[in-house]
Amino acid sequence: MAVSIAKCLTADVYLLIVSILLCPIYAEIVAGTSTGEDTPHRRFEYKYSFKGPHLSQSDGSVPFWVHTGNAIPSSDQIRITPSLRSQKGSVWTKNTINFQHWEAEVTFRVSGRGRMGADGLAMWFTAGQGLTGPVYGAADQWNGVGIFFDSFDNDGKKNNPAVVIVGNNGNLVYDHQNDGTTQSLGTCLRDFRNKPYPVRAKITYYKKTLTIMINNGFTPDKEDYEFCARVENMVIPAEGFFGISAATGGLADDHDVLSFLVFRLTEPGQQLPPVEQEIPKEEQDKYQEEFMNFQQELDKKKEEFQKEHPDVQGEPVDDLYESVNDREIRQVFEGQNRIHLEIKQLNRQLAMILDEQRRYVSVLTDEVSKRGAQTQSGQAPSQDIDTIITTQREVLNSLNDMRNSLSASLKQVDSAQHVQQAAGGALSSYETIQHFNDIKEHLHVVKRNVEHIIQKNPGPSEKVKCPEMPPMPSCLSTTHFVVFVVIQSILFFGYIMYRSQQEAAAKKFF
C-alpha cells in the first residue's frame, strides 16, 4: 500500500513539473497572433451562417444555404446524415466568400449506439461546391482545405477518432486507406463521439495561418477551447464556399450540426469593410408585405387560441413558460411523489405479510389446542410448536413495528407535499433535505427490522418443522374427467361431420 501511494505521489510530481515546463509553450501556441499582435476585428456575417431556433423554413430549406443527399434540416439543427448505413449528405453556402481572413465557429454532435462510429464529419472551404462525392459525402480533388472529424480507423493504427487537416489544389485524390495521414497538414486525437454536451470547433484563418481549437463537449462552457492543430504558410483560394458534409459506411452515427457561425476578420489599423449596399426599394416593399402578412396570420392564430383556451386569457406570456427554479421544484415534487408511491407499495406488501403471519399463528394455535391432551406423550413436538408460535409472534410484532415506521414515513412525505403545495412551490432547499433525511432514517429502521426478522427466523439447521397440513381434496375426480373428455370428443367429431356435409352441399352449386 505504501509503495503504491509513493508511486502515485511521484507520478503527480512528474505531471506537475511537466505542466509547469510546458505551460508557457502551450500559452504561446494557443495565443498565437493575439499575444504578440493585436486582436483582429470580428464582424458577424449572417449570410454565411445558420443557427436555431427556426433554422429551416416551411418548405424545408435553410436561408442562404443549400443541402443535398440525406441531409435533413429542422428547426434547431441540420442532421447531415442519420444513423443508417451508406448515407451521404452535405450543406453548402449559396454565395461565395470573398474576404481575406475569417473565423468559423461550428457546434455539432456525433452520436451513435456502437462503441465505434463511421465514417465522420467534414468542414470545407473550397473554390467550388462539392455537393456529393466519396470524401465524407463531398467531392474529391477539391481546391481548398478540408477539416475532417474522422471516427473510423481505416488503417488499423488505433489513432481515431481524430481531427485531420488536408489541403488540396484540385489534383490530389484523397487517401482513404490511410485516413489521409499521408496528406495531412496537421492532426490531433480528439474523441468527439457521444459527449454530454455539443462539441465546438473554432477554425481561424488569419494571415495565411489556419488554427483549429476544440471544445471537448464535457462542460457547457462555450469558451472552454483546447488547442488542436495549426498550419502556417497555408494558401487557400481567395473566393470560395463554406460546406459541411458527413457520411456513414458499415457503421453509422447521427451527424448533427447545431450552428455554423462565420466572422470576417480585419487586421487592426485597417479600415473596416464597408457595409453592404441598401436593399432596393422593390425588395424592401416585398419584405414589408411578407412581414405584414405574417403578422396578420399570427394575430389571427392568437385570437383562435384565446377562443379555444379562455382560461389563459390575460396571463403574461412569461407565466406560460417554466423557469429554472420552477423546474427544480417540480423535479423535487415528482421525486417525493415517487417515494410516496414506493412506500405505499411497501406498506401494502407488509400488510399482506401480516395477514399471512396471523393466519399461520391461528393455524398453529388450533393445532396446539387439538394436541393439548397429548402433552405427556408428545412433549418434543409440543416444544417445537411452542418455539414456532413464539417466533411467529416475534415476527408479527416486528412487522407491526415496520408498518408503523412506514406509516410515519408516509405521513412525513404527505406533510412535505402539503407544505410545498401550501407554499405555492416555494419550498426551501433546507426543508426539502430535512424531509428526505427523516424518510431515510425511517427506511433505515425498516431495514434493521427486516434484518432482525431474518435473524429471528429459524433456519434449516435448527431442524424445526411445521406440522403437516392435511391434503387438500381434489376438485375433479377421474370418472368426471373421463366423461368430460368423451363428451367433448363426440361433440368435436359431430361438428366435423356437420361441417363436411355443409361443404359438400355448397359444392353442388358450382
Side-chain angles (χ1 to χ4, degrees):
M1 184 66 182
V3 176
S4 61
I5 295 174
K7 289 183 178 179
C8 293
L9 292 175
T10 305
D12 292 338
V13 172
Y14 286 159
L15 289 175
L16 181 60
I17 295 173
V18 171
S19 61
I20 293 173
L21 293 176
L22 295 181
C23 185
I25 301 174
Y26 176 77
E28 182 180 356
I29 293 174
V30 172
T33 57
S34 61
T35 56
E37 304 173 4
D38 295 334
T39 305
H41 299 288
R42 299 170 80 240
R43 192 176 78 178
F44 177 64
E45 299 289 340
Y46 69 94
K47 289 188 176 181
Y48 311 103
S49 306
F50 64 81
K51 182 182 180 181
H54 312 298
L55 191 151
S56 63
Q57 296 180 340
S58 58
D59 58 352
S61 62
V62 180
F64 308 111
W65 289 73
V66 58
H67 64 278
T68 61
N70 302 112
I72 307 172
S74 63
S75 60
D76 55 352
Q77 66 181 19
I78 299 179
R79 174 155 290 179
I80 309 299
T81 57
S83 56
L84 300 173
R85 294 181 178 179
S86 303
Q87 300 287 299
K88 295 180 181 180
S90 65
V91 291
W92 294 84
T93 56
K94 294 181 180 179
N95 304 321
T96 58
I97 294 89
N98 55 5
F99 34 88
Q100 186 177 6
H101 311 299
W102 47 264
E103 184 176 84
E105 295 181 359
V106 190
T107 305
F108 64 95
R109 182 185 290 111
V110 179
S111 55
R113 300 176 60 183
R115 185 178 60 86
M116 297 177 59
D119 285 336
L121 185 76
M123 302 173 190
W124 305 89
F125 181 81
T126 57
Q129 294 177 333
L131 298 179
T132 56
V135 184
Y136 300 96
D140 202 349
Q141 296 181 339
W142 66 93
N143 183 12
V145 61
I147 296 95
F148 304 149
F149 292 82
D150 189 1
S151 54
F152 185 73
D153 191 6
N154 289 294
D155 54 5
K157 295 182 179 180
K158 298 181 180 181
N159 54 355
N160 292 86
V163 183
V164 184
I165 304 174
V166 178
N168 200 334
N169 56 4
N171 299 323
L172 299 177
V173 178
Y174 181 67
D175 187 5
H176 283 278
Q177 298 299 325
N178 295 314
D179 292 329
T181 54
T182 58
Q183 304 165 342
S184 172
L185 301 177
T187 183
C188 68
L189 297 179
R190 291 291 185 275
D191 187 5
F192 47 82
R193 296 183 67 249
N194 298 326
K195 297 305 175 188
Y197 298 96
V199 179
R200 298 177 180 272
K202 181 184 292 186
I203 306 167
T204 306
Y205 182 74
Y206 184 65
K207 293 184 178 181
K208 297 183 180 181
T209 301
L210 184 71
T211 306
I212 309 295
M213 306 288 289
I214 300 294
N215 183 330
N216 54 20
F218 284 110
T219 62
D221 187 4
K222 298 180 180 180
E223 299 300 327
D224 186 16
Y225 285 102
E226 300 176 355
F227 175 78
C228 175
R230 184 177 183 182
V231 181
E232 297 181 352
N233 298 323
M234 186 172 187
V235 180
I236 61 175
E239 295 184 357
F241 298 86
F242 281 117
I244 308 172
S245 67
T248 61
L251 302 176
D253 281 336
D254 286 323
H255 298 90
D256 302 325
V257 180
L258 284 68
S259 65
F260 188 91
L261 307 179
V262 176
F263 299 88
R264 182 201 296 261
L265 302 181
T266 306
E267 297 182 20
Q270 291 188 359
Q271 185 178 0
L272 296 176
V275 182
E276 296 182 358
Q277 297 180 356
E278 294 184 358
I279 302 175
K281 187 67 168 59
E282 297 178 356
E283 293 188 8
Q284 287 184 2
D285 296 339
K286 179 182 176 181
Y287 294 149
Q288 186 67 23
E289 183 179 359
E290 290 180 357
F291 174 76
M292 294 301 295
N293 294 333
F294 176 78
Q295 191 68 29
Q296 292 176 1
E297 185 178 357
L298 181 61
D299 294 338
K300 187 183 297 183
K301 290 182 178 179
K302 285 182 179 179
E303 293 177 358
E304 294 177 356
F305 178 80
Q306 291 178 357
K307 291 180 181 179
E308 295 176 356
H309 305 82
D311 52 336
V312 297
Q313 289 186 3
E315 294 184 2
V317 179
D318 295 338
D319 295 341
L320 301 177
Y321 298 94
E322 188 178 41
S323 64
V324 177
N325 294 331
D326 294 339
R327 182 168 60 252
E328 292 179 354
I329 293 173
R330 177 179 56 80
Q331 291 175 352
V332 171
F333 184 70
E334 291 176 355
Q336 289 181 348
N337 286 334
R338 287 194 294 268
I339 294 173
H340 181 74
L341 294 176
E342 292 292 336
I343 295 177
K344 289 179 71 175
Q345 181 68 21
L346 186 58
N347 192 11
R348 286 194 293 268
Q349 293 178 358
L350 285 175
M352 295 173 61
I353 296 173
L354 283 171
D355 294 337
E356 291 289 333
Q357 294 294 331
R358 291 193 184 98
R359 189 170 64 86
Y360 292 152
V361 170
S362 62
V363 171
L364 291 174
T365 305
D366 295 339
E367 188 69 21
V368 169
S369 62
K370 290 178 182 179
R371 299 187 180 184
Q374 303 176 0
T375 306
Q376 299 297 329
S377 60
Q379 186 68 23
S382 178
Q383 291 178 357
D384 295 339
I385 292 174
D386 291 339
T387 304
I388 294 173
I389 291 174
T390 304
T391 304
Q392 294 296 331
R393 286 176 178 173
E394 291 180 358
V395 170
L396 194 61
N397 294 331
S398 299
L399 288 174
N400 282 322
D401 295 339
M402 291 171 59
R403 188 175 184 181
N404 294 331
S405 179
L406 284 175
S407 299
S409 299
L410 281 173
K411 292 179 181 178
Q412 190 72 21
V413 174
D414 287 334
S415 64
Q417 292 178 353
H418 291 319
V419 169
Q420 185 175 0
Q421 291 176 355
L427 188 63
S428 65
S429 60
Y430 174 77
E431 293 176 351
T432 304
I433 294 172
Q434 187 64 30
H435 286 308
F436 280 113
N437 288 334
D438 295 339
I439 294 170
K440 185 177 179 181
E441 291 178 1
H442 286 296
L443 291 178
H444 280 305
V445 172
V446 172
K447 183 179 178 182
R448 288 195 296 270
N449 290 334
V450 172
E451 293 177 353
H452 179 71
I453 291 170
I454 293 173
Q455 293 176 359
K456 287 292 183 181
N457 274 328
S461 60
E462 298 179 12
K463 298 182 180 179
V464 178
K465 298 182 179 180
C466 295
E468 297 182 356
M469 299 295 294
M472 297 297 293
S474 177
C475 298
L476 182 63
S477 63
T478 307
T479 306
H480 291 93
F481 178 73
V482 172
V483 172
F484 176 75
V485 172
V486 171
I487 294 173
Q488 188 176 13
S489 302
I490 293 172
L491 292 175
F492 177 74
F493 285 113
Y495 174 74
I496 294 297
M497 294 176 64
Y498 172 76
R499 183 69 179 271
S500 62
Q501 290 177 1
Q502 292 292 330
E503 291 179 355
K507 289 182 180 178
K508 294 179 181 180
F509 296 98
F510 295 96

